[in-house]
Amino acid sequence: MFEAGMLKRWRFRENGQVTDLSDLNLSPLMVHLLGNRGVLDSQTARDFLNPKMTQLHDPGLLPDIDKAASRMSRAVREGQPIVIYGDYDVDGITASSILWHTLRLAGAHVRTYVPHRIEEGYGINCDAITAMCEADPLIISVDCGITAVEPAAIAKAKGVDLIITDHHEMDPDPRKLPDAYALVHPRLPDSEYPFGELCGAGVAFKLAWQFARVHNGSDRLPKAYRDLMIQQMSLAALGTVADIVPLVDENRVITTFGLGQIKHTDFMGLNALIDAARLRDEKIDAYHVGFVLGPRLNACGRMGHAKDAVHLLTEATEDEAMDIAEFLTQENDKRRATEKKIVDKAAQQVIDRGYDQSDCRAIVVADHDWHPGVVGIVASRIVEQFARPAIVMNIDGDEAHGSARSVEGVSIHDALKHCEDLLVSFGGHAMAAGLRVKLENLDAFRDRLVAYVNEHLSADDLCSIVNIDTECTLADIALHEVQQIERMAPFGPHNPKPVLCVRGVQLQRPPMIMGQTGKHMRLNLRQGEQYLNAVAFNMADLAPKLAPGMKLDIAFEPKTNTWQGKTSVDMMVKDLKISD
């Protein structure tokens, strides 16, 4: 069901058929919200609302994990050097840190390696593997490697064992997977693992757990290992939220307990990061990871070298940690400034070349001057602005390197697969990917990609959509109700923040403009005897169209707000329109 909003299209979610949740003492609104997320029976609802560590799946079910853990244990016992080869994003940084801490506790000779985003690019590269093999180490990849056929062949030819742990898309043909000592991936062909949506840090966490069991010869871990695994849930939560994987099943457990543990961590680097971000007095949730902590860790790899972020979360002393955390904050400020300049130029290129027209439902833009470290973020901004898949690339020599982001209904990985013969390389998943293309093929690639996406998106799909759970009244969102809704956190993919809509609410007084830049507004609303405030970020330009007494339909997220010891309900406006 679609309806035209003032800014966006409204779509109501389809509700699942709930069996019976009467024994849980939940409101009808809460039951409806759970049904929209596939929580349809009492036991599933209990597990969803009260995550427990016992809901984590046995790591021994992951493919090749026993083989990998045993080989790691042998390397530790024999004093063989171990290299952890990670990715340069938050997921890779936290995954590297998890295995480093676990192996160091076991007494391993272990170091980390993170490729330079610009100079080496994503994934395991042949030059790095060749150089590593000189020391005859055990090499373990985290958050990358499932497509590293050639690097794996190099390691094998040199007699070096390579353990690949990853979660990204792979070639469906098992014969085209890397010939590594072990492949640990939840979605490998014939995998019996019950949950396929772990991020790289989640897979690393499971490998660390299984290694601890194998190395200690017992499923019941010694206290030092148990304490470390609990501590490392914070790192796994950082990777899980930042990598935007579905926050359901055991990802929900990892994130819930990891976020709950994060401010009590013994990791000096994580404490320094929290302090540098001024979050010590906040209740850290998925928002803070996605928009405050995560970007700081990512900025290091985008603007410089991610090895500094890995050092922060592993070997850094207290003084070093404070210096690195402040440095990451400065790098993030630089990243934001750089990002804004490129977004403006990329958007102008889209408009100038007509890529915003309805017959061009995918965007491919490139420039020599765009910083390759931020093109992924820029692609996300272009998707938000033009409501279609976008690829933003930096031109370097005879190639363009860049990042792709997509929208609901189009797998960008499948789209790139359709254009595979025109690409030097690509990899990723349905909503995000990286790619390289020769300049001589860029126009042909753009044309074929647009044709593919045009077949999968209609012209009517080219607008932003607000997915709404259900209608309600202002009386339905009393404080106790919203507090119950907030039990559904942590929010993210497959468990989005609930969005409700109210119809025909009356604007009591002129909108109050908010914020230093005057881009936001606060609305005072009435429906019957109920009054509530609503906050509309970046919508102040609508204020002249709104007059007291006017009736409005509003799509919003309900939220509790505590100020000076008093807790109340706020409506965070997603969209609004003047009632018919």
Side-chain angles (χ1 to χ4, degrees), residues 21 24 26 30 34 39 42-52 55 252 256 484-489:
L21 305 185
L24 299 184
L26 300 175
M30 188 69 170
L34 290 171
V39 180
S42 291
Q43 188 55 54
T44 306
R46 286 191 188 92
D47 291 343
F48 185 87
L49 296 173
N50 303 286
K52 295 181 175 61
Q55 294 169 22
R252 179 173 173 81
T256 299
Q484 192 173 76
I485 290 173
E486 289 181 342
R487 290 179 61 199
M488 296 172 63

PDB file of all heavy atoms in Angstrom, residues 21 24 26 30 34 39 42-52 55 252 256 484-489:
ATOM      1  N   LEU A  21       0.376 -14.411  21.621  1.00  0.00           N
ATOM      2  CA  LEU A  21       1.380 -13.891  22.552  1.00  0.00           C
ATOM      3  C   LEU A  21       0.729 -13.412  23.841  1.00  0.00           C
ATOM      4  O   LEU A  21       1.308 -12.625  24.583  1.00  0.00           O
ATOM      5  CB  LEU A  21       2.155 -12.720  21.899  1.00  0.00           C
ATOM      6  CG  LEU A  21       2.832 -12.972  20.560  1.00  0.00           C
ATOM      7  CD1 LEU A  21       3.639 -11.742  20.148  1.00  0.00           C
ATOM      8  CD2 LEU A  21       3.739 -14.179  20.613  1.00  0.00           C
ATOM      9  N   LEU A  24       2.468 -13.193  27.307  1.00  0.00           N
ATOM     10  CA  LEU A  24       3.608 -12.293  27.509  1.00  0.00           C
ATOM     11  C   LEU A  24       3.193 -10.909  27.976  1.00  0.00           C
ATOM     12  O   LEU A  24       4.050 -10.044  28.189  1.00  0.00           O
ATOM     13  CB  LEU A  24       4.413 -12.176  26.212  1.00  0.00           C
ATOM     14  CG  LEU A  24       5.021 -13.477  25.682  1.00  0.00           C
ATOM     15  CD1 LEU A  24       5.864 -13.199  24.442  1.00  0.00           C
ATOM     16  CD2 LEU A  24       5.864 -14.157  26.741  1.00  0.00           C
ATOM     17  N   LEU A  26       1.814  -8.333  26.450  1.00  0.00           N
ATOM     18  CA  LEU A  26       2.240  -7.282  25.533  1.00  0.00           C
ATOM     19  C   LEU A  26       1.020  -6.541  24.995  1.00  0.00           C
ATOM     20  O   LEU A  26      -0.056  -7.115  24.833  1.00  0.00           O
ATOM     21  CB  LEU A  26       3.024  -7.885  24.359  1.00  0.00           C
ATOM     22  CG  LEU A  26       4.304  -8.653  24.718  1.00  0.00           C
ATOM     23  CD1 LEU A  26       4.894  -9.292  23.459  1.00  0.00           C
ATOM     24  CD2 LEU A  26       5.325  -7.733  25.368  1.00  0.00           C
ATOM     25  N   MET A  30       2.487  -3.595  20.379  1.00  0.00           N
ATOM     26  CA  MET A  30       3.744  -4.327  20.450  1.00  0.00           C
ATOM     27  C   MET A  30       3.646  -5.654  19.708  1.00  0.00           C
ATOM     28  O   MET A  30       4.580  -6.063  19.002  1.00  0.00           O
ATOM     29  CB  MET A  30       4.092  -4.562  21.924  1.00  0.00           C
ATOM     30  CG  MET A  30       5.460  -5.135  22.150  1.00  0.00           C
ATOM     31  SD  MET A  30       6.762  -3.960  21.768  1.00  0.00           S
ATOM     32  CE  MET A  30       8.182  -4.859  22.432  1.00  0.00           C
ATOM     33  N   LEU A  34       6.042  -6.783  16.533  1.00  0.00           N
ATOM     34  CA  LEU A  34       6.787  -8.039  16.502  1.00  0.00           C
ATOM     35  C   LEU A  34       6.374  -8.878  15.292  1.00  0.00           C
ATOM     36  O   LEU A  34       7.226  -9.483  14.620  1.00  0.00           O
ATOM     37  CB  LEU A  34       6.554  -8.821  17.792  1.00  0.00           C
ATOM     38  CG  LEU A  34       7.178  -8.226  19.061  1.00  0.00           C
ATOM     39  CD1 LEU A  34       6.695  -8.969  20.294  1.00  0.00           C
ATOM     40  CD2 LEU A  34       8.706  -8.254  18.980  1.00  0.00           C
ATOM     41  N   VAL A  39       8.261 -12.227  14.246  1.00  0.00           N
ATOM     42  CA  VAL A  39       8.195 -12.811  15.590  1.00  0.00           C
ATOM     43  C   VAL A  39       6.736 -13.170  15.839  1.00  0.00           C
ATOM     44  O   VAL A  39       5.927 -12.325  16.216  1.00  0.00           O
ATOM     45  CB  VAL A  39       8.728 -11.824  16.650  1.00  0.00           C
ATOM     46  CG1 VAL A  39       8.661 -12.443  18.040  1.00  0.00           C
ATOM     47  CG2 VAL A  39      10.159 -11.420  16.312  1.00  0.00           C
ATOM     48  N   SER A  42       5.108 -17.213  20.983  1.00  0.00           N
ATOM     49  CA  SER A  42       5.577 -16.798  22.306  1.00  0.00           C
ATOM     50  C   SER A  42       7.048 -17.092  22.523  1.00  0.00           C
ATOM     51  O   SER A  42       7.791 -16.268  23.056  1.00  0.00           O
ATOM     52  CB  SER A  42       4.742 -17.485  23.394  1.00  0.00           C
ATOM     53  OG  SER A  42       3.430 -16.973  23.400  1.00  0.00           O
ATOM     54  N   GLN A  43       7.508 -18.299  22.127  1.00  0.00           N
ATOM     55  CA  GLN A  43       8.901 -18.646  22.388  1.00  0.00           C
ATOM     56  C   GLN A  43       9.854 -17.752  21.592  1.00  0.00           C
ATOM     57  O   GLN A  43      10.869 -17.285  22.109  1.00  0.00           O
ATOM     58  CB  GLN A  43       9.167 -20.116  22.056  1.00  0.00           C
ATOM     59  CG  GLN A  43      10.549 -20.588  22.478  1.00  0.00           C
ATOM     60  CD  GLN A  43      10.826 -20.341  23.960  1.00  0.00           C
ATOM     61  OE1 GLN A  43      10.050 -20.756  24.819  1.00  0.00           O
ATOM     62  NE2 GLN A  43      11.924 -19.652  24.269  1.00  0.00           N
ATOM     63  N   THR A  44       9.512 -17.503  20.335  1.00  0.00           N
ATOM     64  CA  THR A  44      10.345 -16.612  19.517  1.00  0.00           C
ATOM     65  C   THR A  44      10.354 -15.209  20.103  1.00  0.00           C
ATOM     66  O   THR A  44      11.391 -14.536  20.129  1.00  0.00           O
ATOM     67  CB  THR A  44       9.825 -16.575  18.068  1.00  0.00           C
ATOM     68  OG1 THR A  44       9.730 -17.907  17.555  1.00  0.00           O
ATOM     69  CG2 THR A  44      10.763 -15.773  17.172  1.00  0.00           C
ATOM     70  N   ALA A  45       9.203 -14.763  20.603  1.00  0.00           N
ATOM     71  CA  ALA A  45       9.119 -13.435  21.210  1.00  0.00           C
ATOM     72  C   ALA A  45       9.968 -13.356  22.479  1.00  0.00           C
ATOM     73  O   ALA A  45      10.637 -12.349  22.728  1.00  0.00           O
ATOM     74  CB  ALA A  45       7.663 -13.090  21.512  1.00  0.00           C
ATOM     75  N   ARG A  46       9.930 -14.411  23.302  1.00  0.00           N
ATOM     76  CA  ARG A  46      10.763 -14.424  24.520  1.00  0.00           C
ATOM     77  C   ARG A  46      12.242 -14.325  24.152  1.00  0.00           C
ATOM     78  O   ARG A  46      13.001 -13.569  24.755  1.00  0.00           O
ATOM     79  CB  ARG A  46      10.516 -15.707  25.315  1.00  0.00           C
ATOM     80  CG  ARG A  46       9.186 -15.747  26.060  1.00  0.00           C
ATOM     81  CD  ARG A  46       9.159 -16.922  27.027  1.00  0.00           C
ATOM     82  NE  ARG A  46       7.823 -17.077  27.591  1.00  0.00           N
ATOM     83  CZ  ARG A  46       6.881 -17.862  27.071  1.00  0.00           C
ATOM     84  NH1 ARG A  46       7.141 -18.555  25.969  1.00  0.00           N
ATOM     85  NH2 ARG A  46       5.694 -17.953  27.631  1.00  0.00           N
ATOM     86  N   ASP A  47      12.650 -15.114  23.158  1.00  0.00           N
ATOM     87  CA  ASP A  47      14.052 -15.087  22.738  1.00  0.00           C
ATOM     88  C   ASP A  47      14.426 -13.722  22.172  1.00  0.00           C
ATOM     89  O   ASP A  47      15.531 -13.226  22.400  1.00  0.00           O
ATOM     90  CB  ASP A  47      14.304 -16.159  21.672  1.00  0.00           C
ATOM     91  CG  ASP A  47      14.212 -17.570  22.232  1.00  0.00           C
ATOM     92  OD1 ASP A  47      14.269 -17.727  23.470  1.00  0.00           O
ATOM     93  OD2 ASP A  47      14.079 -18.517  21.420  1.00  0.00           O
ATOM     94  N   PHE A  48      13.509 -13.116  21.447  1.00  0.00           N
ATOM     95  CA  PHE A  48      13.773 -11.825  20.811  1.00  0.00           C
ATOM     96  C   PHE A  48      13.885 -10.714  21.854  1.00  0.00           C
ATOM     97  O   PHE A  48      14.804  -9.886  21.803  1.00  0.00           O
ATOM     98  CB  PHE A  48      12.648 -11.506  19.825  1.00  0.00           C
ATOM     99  CG  PHE A  48      12.865 -10.259  19.018  1.00  0.00           C
ATOM    100  CD1 PHE A  48      13.570 -10.300  17.824  1.00  0.00           C
ATOM    101  CD2 PHE A  48      12.358  -9.039  19.446  1.00  0.00           C
ATOM    102  CE1 PHE A  48      13.763  -9.146  17.078  1.00  0.00           C
ATOM    103  CE2 PHE A  48      12.551  -7.889  18.708  1.00  0.00           C
ATOM    104  CZ  PHE A  48      13.259  -7.937  17.518  1.00  0.00           C
ATOM    105  N   LEU A  49      12.967 -10.685  22.807  1.00  0.00           N
ATOM    106  CA  LEU A  49      12.927  -9.601  23.792  1.00  0.00           C
ATOM    107  C   LEU A  49      13.900  -9.823  24.943  1.00  0.00           C
ATOM    108  O   LEU A  49      14.245  -8.869  25.645  1.00  0.00           O
ATOM    109  CB  LEU A  49      11.505  -9.437  24.333  1.00  0.00           C
ATOM    110  CG  LEU A  49      10.449  -8.998  23.305  1.00  0.00           C
ATOM    111  CD1 LEU A  49       9.061  -9.035  23.928  1.00  0.00           C
ATOM    112  CD2 LEU A  49      10.762  -7.611  22.764  1.00  0.00           C
ATOM    113  N   ASN A  50      14.345 -11.052  25.126  1.00  0.00           N
ATOM    114  CA  ASN A  50      15.264 -11.354  26.226  1.00  0.00           C
ATOM    115  C   ASN A  50      16.435 -12.186  25.701  1.00  0.00           C
ATOM    116  O   ASN A  50      16.535 -13.390  25.983  1.00  0.00           O
ATOM    117  CB  ASN A  50      14.534 -12.113  27.340  1.00  0.00           C
ATOM    118  CG  ASN A  50      13.340 -11.348  27.877  1.00  0.00           C
ATOM    119  OD1 ASN A  50      13.500 -10.380  28.600  1.00  0.00           O
ATOM    120  ND2 ASN A  50      12.142 -11.785  27.515  1.00  0.00           N
ATOM    121  N   PRO A  51      17.322 -11.583  24.904  1.00  0.00           N
ATOM    122  CA  PRO A  51      18.445 -12.351  24.349  1.00  0.00           C
ATOM    123  C   PRO A  51      19.292 -12.960  25.454  1.00  0.00           C
ATOM    124  O   PRO A  51      19.526 -12.347  26.495  1.00  0.00           O
ATOM    125  CB  PRO A  51      19.241 -11.282  23.574  1.00  0.00           C
ATOM    126  CG  PRO A  51      18.281 -10.167  23.326  1.00  0.00           C
ATOM    127  CD  PRO A  51      17.354 -10.163  24.501  1.00  0.00           C
ATOM    128  N   LYS A  52      19.750 -14.185  25.217  1.00  0.00           N
ATOM    129  CA  LYS A  52      20.594 -14.890  26.176  1.00  0.00           C
ATOM    130  C   LYS A  52      21.808 -15.458  25.458  1.00  0.00           C
ATOM    131  O   LYS A  52      21.740 -15.798  24.270  1.00  0.00           O
ATOM    132  CB  LYS A  52      19.818 -16.027  26.855  1.00  0.00           C
ATOM    133  CG  LYS A  52      18.653 -15.566  27.725  1.00  0.00           C
ATOM    134  CD  LYS A  52      17.968 -16.756  28.360  1.00  0.00           C
ATOM    135  CE  LYS A  52      16.870 -16.333  29.331  1.00  0.00           C
ATOM    136  NZ  LYS A  52      15.803 -15.565  28.655  1.00  0.00           N
ATOM    137  N   GLN A  55      21.684 -18.572  23.341  1.00  0.00           N
ATOM    138  CA  GLN A  55      21.144 -18.544  21.982  1.00  0.00           C
ATOM    139  C   GLN A  55      22.250 -18.513  20.921  1.00  0.00           C
ATOM    140  O   GLN A  55      21.967 -18.624  19.728  1.00  0.00           O
ATOM    141  CB  GLN A  55      20.226 -17.330  21.808  1.00  0.00           C
ATOM    142  CG  GLN A  55      18.963 -17.388  22.652  1.00  0.00           C
ATOM    143  CD  GLN A  55      18.206 -16.069  22.665  1.00  0.00           C
ATOM    144  OE1 GLN A  55      18.357 -15.237  21.774  1.00  0.00           O
ATOM    145  NE2 GLN A  55      17.406 -15.866  23.694  1.00  0.00           N
ATOM    146  N   ARG A 252      21.908 -10.498  17.017  1.00  0.00           N
ATOM    147  CA  ARG A 252      21.190  -9.720  18.033  1.00  0.00           C
ATOM    148  C   ARG A 252      21.765 -10.003  19.421  1.00  0.00           C
ATOM    149  O   ARG A 252      21.914  -9.076  20.239  1.00  0.00           O
ATOM    150  CB  ARG A 252      19.705 -10.078  17.975  1.00  0.00           C
ATOM    151  CG  ARG A 252      18.838  -9.358  19.000  1.00  0.00           C
ATOM    152  CD  ARG A 252      17.358  -9.636  18.745  1.00  0.00           C
ATOM    153  NE  ARG A 252      16.549  -9.081  19.816  1.00  0.00           N
ATOM    154  CZ  ARG A 252      16.181  -7.806  19.910  1.00  0.00           C
ATOM    155  NH1 ARG A 252      16.578  -6.953  18.989  1.00  0.00           N
ATOM    156  NH2 ARG A 252      15.435  -7.376  20.912  1.00  0.00           N
ATOM    157  N   THR A 256      23.589  -7.130  21.561  1.00  0.00           N
ATOM    158  CA  THR A 256      22.992  -6.774  22.849  1.00  0.00           C
ATOM    159  C   THR A 256      24.012  -6.864  23.974  1.00  0.00           C
ATOM    160  O   THR A 256      24.192  -5.906  24.747  1.00  0.00           O
ATOM    161  CB  THR A 256      21.792  -7.687  23.156  1.00  0.00           C
ATOM    162  OG1 THR A 256      20.794  -7.526  22.136  1.00  0.00           O
ATOM    163  CG2 THR A 256      21.185  -7.345  24.499  1.00  0.00           C
ATOM    164  N   GLN A 484       8.234  -0.006  26.269  1.00  0.00           N
ATOM    165  CA  GLN A 484       8.111  -1.398  25.860  1.00  0.00           C
ATOM    166  C   GLN A 484       8.663  -1.588  24.449  1.00  0.00           C
ATOM    167  O   GLN A 484       9.387  -2.545  24.171  1.00  0.00           O
ATOM    168  CB  GLN A 484       6.644  -1.839  25.919  1.00  0.00           C
ATOM    169  CG  GLN A 484       6.443  -3.331  25.794  1.00  0.00           C
ATOM    170  CD  GLN A 484       4.993  -3.724  26.018  1.00  0.00           C
ATOM    171  OE1 GLN A 484       4.158  -3.533  25.142  1.00  0.00           O
ATOM    172  NE2 GLN A 484       4.693  -4.275  27.195  1.00  0.00           N
ATOM    173  N   ILE A 485       8.369  -0.654  23.555  1.00  0.00           N
ATOM    174  CA  ILE A 485       8.881  -0.719  22.182  1.00  0.00           C
ATOM    175  C   ILE A 485      10.405  -0.696  22.170  1.00  0.00           C
ATOM    176  O   ILE A 485      11.052  -1.398  21.380  1.00  0.00           O
ATOM    177  CB  ILE A 485       8.311   0.443  21.341  1.00  0.00           C
ATOM    178  CG1 ILE A 485       6.808   0.234  21.099  1.00  0.00           C
ATOM    179  CG2 ILE A 485       9.047   0.577  20.012  1.00  0.00           C
ATOM    180  CD1 ILE A 485       6.121   1.415  20.431  1.00  0.00           C
ATOM    181  N   GLU A 486      11.005   0.078  23.054  1.00  0.00           N
ATOM    182  CA  GLU A 486      12.459   0.187  23.072  1.00  0.00           C
ATOM    183  C   GLU A 486      13.139  -1.103  23.531  1.00  0.00           C
ATOM    184  O   GLU A 486      14.355  -1.256  23.363  1.00  0.00           O
ATOM    185  CB  GLU A 486      12.882   1.375  23.939  1.00  0.00           C
ATOM    186  CG  GLU A 486      12.536   2.711  23.275  1.00  0.00           C
ATOM    187  CD  GLU A 486      12.959   3.923  24.083  1.00  0.00           C
ATOM    188  OE1 GLU A 486      13.208   3.779  25.302  1.00  0.00           O
ATOM    189  OE2 GLU A 486      13.034   5.023  23.496  1.00  0.00           O
ATOM    190  N   ARG A 487      12.362  -2.034  24.054  1.00  0.00           N
ATOM    191  CA  ARG A 487      12.917  -3.360  24.370  1.00  0.00           C
ATOM    192  C   ARG A 487      13.268  -4.122  23.094  1.00  0.00           C
ATOM    193  O   ARG A 487      13.998  -5.121  23.154  1.00  0.00           O
ATOM    194  CB  ARG A 487      11.909  -4.190  25.179  1.00  0.00           C
ATOM    195  CG  ARG A 487      11.673  -3.718  26.607  1.00  0.00           C
ATOM    196  CD  ARG A 487      10.636  -4.600  27.281  1.00  0.00           C
ATOM    197  NE  ARG A 487      11.059  -5.990  27.352  1.00  0.00           N
ATOM    198  CZ  ARG A 487      10.225  -7.007  27.556  1.00  0.00           C
ATOM    199  NH1 ARG A 487       8.920  -6.800  27.693  1.00  0.00           N
ATOM    200  NH2 ARG A 487      10.684  -8.248  27.609  1.00  0.00           N
ATOM    201  N   MET A 488      12.778  -3.657  21.950  1.00  0.00           N
ATOM    202  CA  MET A 488      13.072  -4.325  20.690  1.00  0.00           C
ATOM    203  C   MET A 488      14.482  -4.005  20.184  1.00  0.00           C
ATOM    204  O   MET A 488      14.952  -4.616  19.231  1.00  0.00           O
ATOM    205  CB  MET A 488      12.040  -3.926  19.635  1.00  0.00           C
ATOM    206  CG  MET A 488      10.631  -4.367  19.961  1.00  0.00           C
ATOM    207  SD  MET A 488       9.399  -3.687  18.822  1.00  0.00           S
ATOM    208  CE  MET A 488       9.922  -4.425  17.284  1.00  0.00           C
ATOM    209  N   ALA A 489      15.147  -3.021  20.791  1.00  0.00           N
ATOM    210  CA  ALA A 489      16.521  -2.694  20.396  1.00  0.00           C
ATOM    211  C   ALA A 489      17.440  -3.879  20.732  1.00  0.00           C
ATOM    212  O   ALA A 489      17.097  -4.703  21.585  1.00  0.00           O
ATOM    213  CB  ALA A 489      16.979  -1.433  21.121  1.00  0.00           C
TER     214      ALA A 489
END
